[in-house]
Amino acid sequence: MNPKTRVVVIITFSFILSFCAYKYTDKWSDFKPYLPSICKTFNSRLVENSTSNPDPQNHPFPFRISEKLSLQDWFLPSNKVELRTKTPWNAPILWEGTFNRTYLEEYYRNNPVTIGLTVFALGKYLDKYLEKFLASADKYFMPGHKVIYYVMVDDHSKLPYIEYGTSRFLKPRVVTKEARWQDVSMMRMKTLADMLQDFIKDEVDYVFCMDVDMDFRAPYGVETLGELVAQAQAWFMNLPNTEFTYERRPESKAYIEMGQGDFYYHAAVFGGTPSRVLDLVRSCYAGIMEDKKNNIEAVWHDESHLNKYFLEHKPTLILSPEYCWDYKIHTKMEHVKLAWAMKDYAEVRDNV
């Protein structure tokens, strides 16, 4: 305990002690002579406790928590020199081991935040994936922090019953299911924009938007919070941008010229502050609607427009494939936080 804090504690303790003595003893004069020695003893105990555990290995927080979180406080890129841990614009690429989890948890314990998680579960996706997604999220998504689940379904009666943990809140919303899965994927941008503008922005500090056909496997924590968060697509992480499946037709608003592009981003996961995510989904929706007017549909629908947005508005944080892994690539990936569900698209999509 530093000297200033110790003085404040001593003065506060003395005041409380004096008040109690005055309130509950008949003779204040009988008590007064003992006050200096009591305060001296209390002070010595404070000094003893503040220096009794000099070993930082055993101390719960052997560092000073900054009032404002900065990258250098928690990001440890040198721990993973064998991996790509920074973008050309110096945004972190997050892997297990590149962040100080203890520091971040203590910071957000002192600066509590509310995190929103949006997910669409329509048609057969509601029947097959929603329960596992929500149950695993309740266990692993932002453990120890306040979370609001915004769940969009087309049949409220099919919402699974789950006993959510402390500070976990469900806000379901019925939406109309589009005829084609491509339109379901694209039109979620309009729904998200409306919800973010109408109420989500006033209820949460950060928000993630995720696909339902996934499940959490390990803690997905506050290390992922950032102003504008993108997910690197696992299949393309180590490929050159000439092999990325961007939209290559100049007629589309999602067009990215050959040779351009930093990463291929996965539309199954994106997030950030409500204002930044609102700008993202509005931009994607505007591009989708402009393409519709011109009778063109981007090759990967909303994901193509999302990649165009991130090309022009660089993410402040990129999640490595550990945060959205496909076991079809291989099964030896360590530290997987979120995994794609194994699925037969013919089984869950009305049109393939």
Side-chain angles (χ1 to χ4, degrees):
M1 185 179 295
N2 63 54
K4 289 184 178 180
T5 304
R6 190 161 61 248
V7 169
V8 172
V9 171
I10 292 171
I11 292 173
T12 304
F13 176 77
S14 301
F15 176 80
I16 295 172
L17 203 58
S18 301
F19 176 81
C20 292
Y22 177 79
K23 181 80 174 175
Y24 298 108
T25 61
D26 295 330
K27 295 184 178 181
W28 164 242
S29 58
D30 292 340
F31 179 82
K32 187 176 180 181
Y34 297 99
L35 185 59
S37 62
I38 292 173
C39 291
K40 183 177 180 180
T41 301
F42 184 65
N43 180 40
S44 65
R45 289 291 177 85
L46 288 175
V47 173
E48 179 185 344
N49 289 338
S50 66
T51 59
S52 61
N53 191 6
D55 182 5
Q57 295 290 331
N58 297 324
H59 198 280
F61 301 107
F63 38 71
R64 183 177 181 274
I65 303 297
S66 302
E67 292 184 3
K68 185 176 181 180
L69 192 64
S70 64
L71 193 61
Q72 65 184 14
D73 291 330
W74 64 271
F75 186 52
L76 310 170
S78 60
N79 285 4
K80 293 285 185 178
V81 293
E82 73 279 13
L83 297 172
R84 189 176 180 184
T85 57
K86 279 192 176 181
T87 69
W89 59 95
N90 284 323
I93 303 173
L94 214 59
W95 302 83
E96 184 67 31
T98 61
F99 55 91
N100 187 329
R101 179 178 280 109
T102 305
Y103 186 96
L104 288 168
E105 287 296 339
E106 179 66 2
Y107 175 83
Y108 284 108
R109 187 184 70 82
N110 294 325
N111 301 273
V113 291
T114 300
I115 305 104
L117 176 57
T118 73
V119 64
F120 288 74
L122 309 178
K124 296 173 184 177
Y125 282 80
L126 169 56
D127 300 327
K128 192 170 181 64
Y129 301 116
L130 183 59
E131 183 171 6
K132 188 172 184 179
F133 177 87
L134 289 175
S136 64
D138 197 59
K139 183 176 181 181
Y140 291 121
F141 182 74
M142 302 295 164
H145 301 276
K146 183 180 177 181
V147 173
I148 302 176
Y149 303 112
Y150 300 97
V151 180
M152 276 59 73
V153 297
D154 56 337
D155 187 345
H156 191 278
S157 68
K158 290 185 177 181
L159 273 172
Y161 174 76
I162 295 172
E163 291 188 6
Y164 295 100
T166 305
S167 298
R168 304 271 155 158
F169 304 93
L170 177 68
K171 288 198 171 184
R173 188 181 182 92
V174 176
V175 297
T176 302
K177 181 179 179 295
E178 302 291 335
R180 301 186 314 142
W181 69 264
Q182 295 92 335
D183 290 321
V184 170
S185 182
M186 289 188 288
M187 297 309 291
R188 69 171 175 152
M189 294 298 185
K190 172 66 165 61
T191 304
L192 287 171
D194 291 343
M195 292 173 61
L196 281 158
Q197 178 61 47
D198 292 346
F199 56 91
I200 292 179
K201 65 180 174 57
D202 300 317
E203 297 177 347
V204 302
D205 301 287
Y206 297 93
V207 60
F208 279 89
C209 307
M210 296 188 181
D211 285 355
V212 71
D213 50 350
M214 305 186 290
D215 62 275
F216 293 88
R217 304 294 179 91
Y220 192 111
V222 290
E223 74 276 4
T224 63
L225 299 181
E227 189 177 344
L228 185 62
V229 182
Q231 173 65 59
Q233 219 276 7
W235 284 89
F236 295 94
M237 185 64 185
N238 297 315
L239 296 180
N241 61 13
T242 52
E243 296 190 40
F244 295 169
T245 55
Y246 292 148
E247 173 55 61
R248 300 299 189 183
R249 293 168 295 175
E251 299 81 17
S252 171
K253 297 297 288 184
Y255 169 67
I256 296 177
E257 185 179 350
M258 185 66 73
Q260 288 191 344
D262 310 298
F263 298 86
Y264 189 86
Y265 300 106
H266 197 176
V269 177
F270 58 91
T273 60
S275 61
R276 294 301 301 271
V277 176
L278 176 58
D279 186 70
L280 184 160
V281 295
R282 277 178 171 169
S283 178
C284 289
Y285 178 66
I288 290 166
M289 297 310 292
E290 186 68 21
D291 277 3
K292 281 184 177 292
K293 284 198 298 184
N294 295 323
N295 199 31
I296 189 170
E297 186 171 282
V299 60
W300 286 112
H301 321 109
D302 58 326
E303 186 168 88
S304 298
H305 291 276
L306 177 132
N307 272 275
K308 180 63 176 286
Y309 182 89
F310 280 139
L311 177 64
E312 298 176 342
H313 306 81
K314 304 299 188 189
T316 62
L317 176 65
I318 294 179
L319 305 178
S320 75
E322 293 175 347
Y323 286 87
C324 190
W325 183 248
D326 186 355
Y327 280 107
K328 288 182 180 178
I329 301 174
H330 64 74
T331 59
K332 297 179 180 179
M333 185 66 168
E334 295 183 316
H335 312 299
V336 173
K337 279 72 168 160
L338 182 67
W340 298 12
M342 295 293 184
K343 54 185 171 289
D344 178 358
Y345 286 114
E347 180 186 354
V348 294
R349 290 178 176 173
D350 295 328
N351 63 298
V352 181

